[in-house]
């Protein structure tokens, strides 16, 4: 079999006319060059080179091989350039914190935030007229529910779930989940998100979509009371056998759906299994007033207090919604180190109520943002979610509550920290998850305050490039 390296050796010997010079150019020994040439000549069944004191000369057959070898080597180089992930990327003349600089990314992390503009790199991005910002982290989502976008709008949560969503989902197969996840991934990337925490089923299909996209994700092992023991064991075995195909971008989490779909025994088992296997927990919590009333009826207390009594709450828990949570419960969440995922658009659309911003902020709880599924939002644009959250916080009369810089932190570094991702900031040594936004867009002008523009004025059209783990995974440049 002819190998690429043997052709490189042959071409270098022919170009330089010397085995010794070729060895030096390729960084190998002279005997290694001789061995590779000998293997090629055995393969060809004829001499390819004449060796003399004056150097090396190609035979007629050698000239034929060289002509074809050069074509093969050029195509190999083209293939390598097209598909090899660059280890270093230089963002040249990008705006960062109000000044123009060049930023070097190496091995997936920010290596130099003030690199010389002529720094060698595998890939250079001409970023003049653009600003760099941290990418966004969507901490509560049901990705494949893009398939239900616009399907059942403008109705209460209980009716929406029981009469429309769950019957629709019963008809979905793995191919449908893959299509829905692919749509979700493309939508999130185009609006600047590099991560989502998912809670759905047929997770192997969503994992494939994430792996191929270059994004990050926390994929939930959904737990429901109506799952049989055999289904439950299959899910546990999936966790035990898990090997991340992405090399570190995908993690599994245990995702008991809610206190109204999972009984106390399964909630305890889910938490115990997650902690034994080093997984986080993801759950809907106190989303509606009805959920709270039913929990008091069934268990004699509110959802937060109920989960706390089961030993469920802890720093490994991400609780979505938390709309109907009183001041004492916020203290419980904070003391247990729970992360809360706020989903303003879904909460408003389903009439779930206004998130208690004042209590949440006072509690000191880690607060993040999620879109929920496209069926109740109806998009997955986390940048838009920042604006709605910041505005909804102010409707009770305090325009200073939840300023742009703070909600931006919820969507970036808080979300990354909640899932153990060393990112969310443009800082040396941090994972290079970032977006390049177009400062020339009319929505970004004038730019008195970049973060304010991004939160209150921008839309997804300002996102020109998205990097995750130091790789460009979306670009409209």
């Amino acid at each position: 079999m002819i190998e690429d390296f043997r052709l490189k050796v042959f071409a270098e010997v022919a170009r330089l006319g010397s085995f010794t010079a070729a060895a030096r150019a390729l960084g190998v020994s002279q005997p290694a060059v001789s061995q590779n040439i000998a293997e090629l000549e055995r393969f060809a069944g004829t001499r390819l080179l004449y060796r003399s004191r004056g150097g090396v000369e190609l035979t007629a057959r050698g000239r034929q091989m060289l002509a074809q070898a050069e074509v093969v080597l050029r195509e190999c180089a083209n293939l390598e350039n097209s598909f090899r992930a660059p280890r270093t990327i230089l963002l040249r003349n990008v705006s960062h914190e109000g000044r123009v600089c060049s930023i070097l990314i190496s091995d997936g992390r920010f290596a130099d935030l003030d690199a010389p503009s002529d720094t060698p790199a595998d890939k250079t991005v001409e970023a003049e007229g653009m600003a760099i910002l941290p990418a966004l982290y969507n901490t509560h989502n049901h990705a494949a529910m893009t398939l239900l976008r616009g399907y059942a709008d403008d109705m209460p949560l209980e009716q929406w779930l029981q009469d429309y969503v769950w019957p629709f989902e019963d008809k979905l197969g793995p191919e449908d989940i893959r299509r829905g996840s692919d749509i979700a991934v493309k939508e999130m990337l185009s609006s600047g998100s590099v991560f989502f925490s998912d809670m759905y089923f047929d997770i192997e299909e969503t994992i494939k979509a994430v792996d191929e996209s270059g994004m990050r994700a926390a994929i939930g092992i959904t737990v429901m009371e109506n799952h049989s023991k055999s289904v439950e064991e299959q899910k546990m075995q999936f966790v035990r056998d898990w090997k991340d195909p992405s090399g570190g971008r995908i993690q599994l989490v245990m995702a008991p759906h809610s206190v109204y779909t999972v009984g106390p025994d399964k909630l305890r088992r889910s938490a115990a299994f997650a902690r034994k296997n080093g997984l986080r927990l993801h759950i809907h919590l106190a989303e509606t007033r009805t959920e709270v009333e039913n929990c008091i009826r069934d268990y004699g207390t509110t959802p937060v207090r109920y989960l706390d009594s089961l030993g469920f709450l802890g720093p490994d828990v991400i609780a979505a919604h938390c709309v109907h949570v009183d001041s004492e419960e916020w203290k419980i969440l904070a003391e247990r180190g729970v992360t809360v995922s706020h989903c303003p658009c879904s909460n408003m659309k389903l009439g779930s109520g206004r998130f208690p911003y004042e209590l949440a902020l006072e509690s000191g709880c880690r607060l993040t943002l999620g879109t929920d599924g496209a069926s109740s939002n109806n998009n997955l644009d986390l940048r838009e979610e920042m604006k709605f959250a910041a505005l909804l916080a102010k409707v009770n009369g305090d325009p200073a509550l939840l300023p742009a810089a703070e909600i931006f932190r919820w969507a970036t570094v808080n979300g990354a920290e909640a899932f153990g991702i060393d990112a969310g900031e443009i800082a040396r040594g941090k994972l290079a998850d970032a977006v390049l936004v177009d400062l020339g867009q009319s929505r970004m002008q004038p730019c008195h305050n970049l973060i304010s523009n991004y939160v209150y004025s921008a839309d997804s059209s300002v996102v020109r490039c998205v990097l995750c783990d130091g790789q460009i995974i979306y670009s409209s440049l």
Side-chain angles (χ1 to χ4, degrees):
M1 178 179 179
I2 297 179
E3 296 177 2
D4 177 31
F5 183 70
R6 284 182 183 159
L7 293 181
K8 286 182 180 178
V9 171
F10 176 62
E12 281 297 287
V13 171
R15 182 176 71 88
L16 297 171
S18 164
F19 278 45
T20 302
R24 190 181 304 115
L26 293 167
V28 297
S29 66
Q30 193 272 339
V33 170
S34 298
Q35 182 180 351
N36 277 277
I37 296 298
E39 290 290 339
L40 270 182
E41 290 183 332
R42 275 196 291 273
F43 176 83
T46 186
R47 186 177 291 278
L48 301 173
L49 299 161
Y50 287 123
R51 304 160 184 80
S52 67
R53 291 182 180 179
V56 174
E57 182 182 347
L58 289 167
T59 66
R61 193 67 169 151
R63 287 192 294 272
Q64 291 176 351
M65 177 170 278
L66 179 62
Q68 295 187 47
E70 287 175 337
V71 172
V72 170
L73 290 170
R74 279 197 301 272
E75 290 304 312
C76 285
N78 290 337
L79 184 68
E80 190 171 300
N81 290 334
S82 297
F83 289 94
R84 183 182 64 183
R87 291 187 60 186
T88 55
I89 295 178
L90 183 70
L91 306 177
R92 181 181 284 154
N93 298 325
V94 68
S95 177
H96 172 52
E97 296 183 343
R99 68 184 188 89
V100 174
C101 59
S102 293
I103 294 177
L104 180 66
I105 296 167
S106 179
D107 292 328
R109 293 182 180 269
F110 292 111
D112 191 343
L113 302 186
D114 197 17
S117 61
D118 59 353
T119 299
D122 294 336
K123 183 176 182 64
T124 297
V125 176
E126 300 296 343
E128 186 174 357
M130 289 180 276
I132 188 169
L133 290 170
L136 306 177
Y137 299 82
N138 187 341
T139 57
H140 180 63
N141 194 359
H142 312 283
M145 288 184 85
T146 52
L147 298 175
L148 286 86
R149 195 195 317 262
Y151 167 68
D153 287 339
D154 309 320
M155 62 184 68
L157 174 63
E158 290 75 17
Q159 179 189 4
W160 176 74
L161 281 174
Q162 295 174 16
D163 297 343
Y164 291 89
V165 172
W166 288 340
F168 185 103
E169 289 176 334
D170 285 341
K171 301 173 184 177
L172 299 179
E175 291 182 358
D176 301 311
I177 302 303
R178 178 58 192 269
R179 282 193 289 270
S181 297
D182 282 338
I183 293 169
V185 162
K186 290 176 183 176
E187 182 178 354
M188 285 185 277
L189 285 179
S190 68
S191 53
S193 291
V194 297
F195 167 89
F196 64 99
S197 182
D198 197 48
M199 184 190 292
Y200 219 54
F201 49 90
D202 285 322
I203 63 173
E204 295 92 334
E205 300 304 319
T206 305
I207 288 169
K208 291 175 189 174
V210 174
D211 182 28
E212 292 181 15
S213 73
M215 286 186 79
R216 304 184 190 278
I219 304 296
I221 310 291
T222 303
V223 177
M224 304 277 277
E225 191 62 33
N226 61 5
H227 290 168
S228 67
K229 188 173 181 179
S230 62
V231 168
E232 190 175 333
E233 181 51 41
Q234 287 172 13
K235 294 188 175 194
M236 303 306 105
Q237 194 58 48
F238 183 87
V239 172
R240 297 184 192 104
D241 296 340
W242 165 253
K243 290 182 177 61
D244 177 6
S246 71
R249 290 183 287 105
I250 302 174
Q251 59 182 281
L252 299 181
V253 301
M254 289 302 296
H257 179 268
S258 62
V259 300
Y260 57 88
T261 57
V262 185
D265 290 341
K266 275 197 177 182
L267 285 169
R268 289 191 188 95
R269 287 202 303 273
S270 295
F273 182 82
R275 285 160 185 157
K276 180 180 179 180
N277 289 276
L279 307 185
R280 291 173 174 81
L281 289 150
H282 184 186
I283 189 170
H284 297 88
L285 182 59
E287 181 175 0
T288 66
R289 196 174 301 281
T290 299
E291 177 188 336
V292 175
E293 292 169 351
N294 289 346
C295 190
I296 293 172
R297 180 197 65 199
D298 296 338
Y299 302 110
T301 190
T302 59
V304 172
R305 293 179 178 89
Y306 169 60
L307 286 182
D308 196 40
S309 72
L310 298 178
F312 185 92
L313 300 180
D316 49 5
V317 172
I318 293 86
H321 300 292
C322 294
V323 176
H324 299 280
V325 176
D326 63 34
S327 58
E328 183 181 328
E329 290 175 304
W330 276 108
K331 291 177 183 176
I332 293 171
L333 293 173
E335 288 171 0
R336 302 292 181 263
V338 172
T339 293
V340 170
S341 178
H342 173 39
C343 306
C345 290
S346 179
N347 293 343
M348 287 189 286
K349 188 185 177 201
L350 294 173
S352 300
R354 176 182 176 273
F355 185 73
Y357 295 95
E358 297 83 355
L359 295 178
L361 288 165
E362 184 181 356
S363 74
C365 222
R366 181 193 283 132
L367 303 169
T368 65
L369 280 180
T371 58
D372 212 347
S375 51
S376 64
N377 186 302
N378 288 24
N379 67 44
L380 306 178
D381 185 347
L382 200 71
R383 190 222 51 79
E384 185 176 273
E385 216 75 23
M386 288 192 289
K387 178 176 181 175
F388 276 102
L391 297 183
L392 186 58
K394 304 176 196 317
V395 299
N396 281 4
D398 184 358
L401 189 65
L402 196 54
E406 188 160 5
I407 193 62
F408 184 68
R409 187 171 179 83
W410 289 20
T412 55
V413 68
N414 284 14
E417 286 177 352
F419 287 87
I421 303 167
D422 187 24
E425 301 174 274
I426 310 301
R428 185 168 183 168
K430 291 288 185 180
L431 289 168
D433 293 359
V435 296
L436 299 183
V437 298
D438 188 350
L439 297 177
Q441 284 270 12
S442 57
R443 285 176 176 263
M444 300 297 287
Q445 295 180 349
C447 196
H448 299 299
N449 185 304
L450 175 61
I451 300 301
S452 287
N453 277 8
Y454 194 50
V455 170
Y456 291 125
S457 176
D459 63 14
S460 60
S461 69
V462 309
V463 176
R464 300 299 306 281
C465 186
V466 178
L467 297 99
C468 180
D469 211 30
Q471 300 298 316
I472 296 172
I473 59 174
Y474 169 83
S475 178
S476 62
L477 296 175

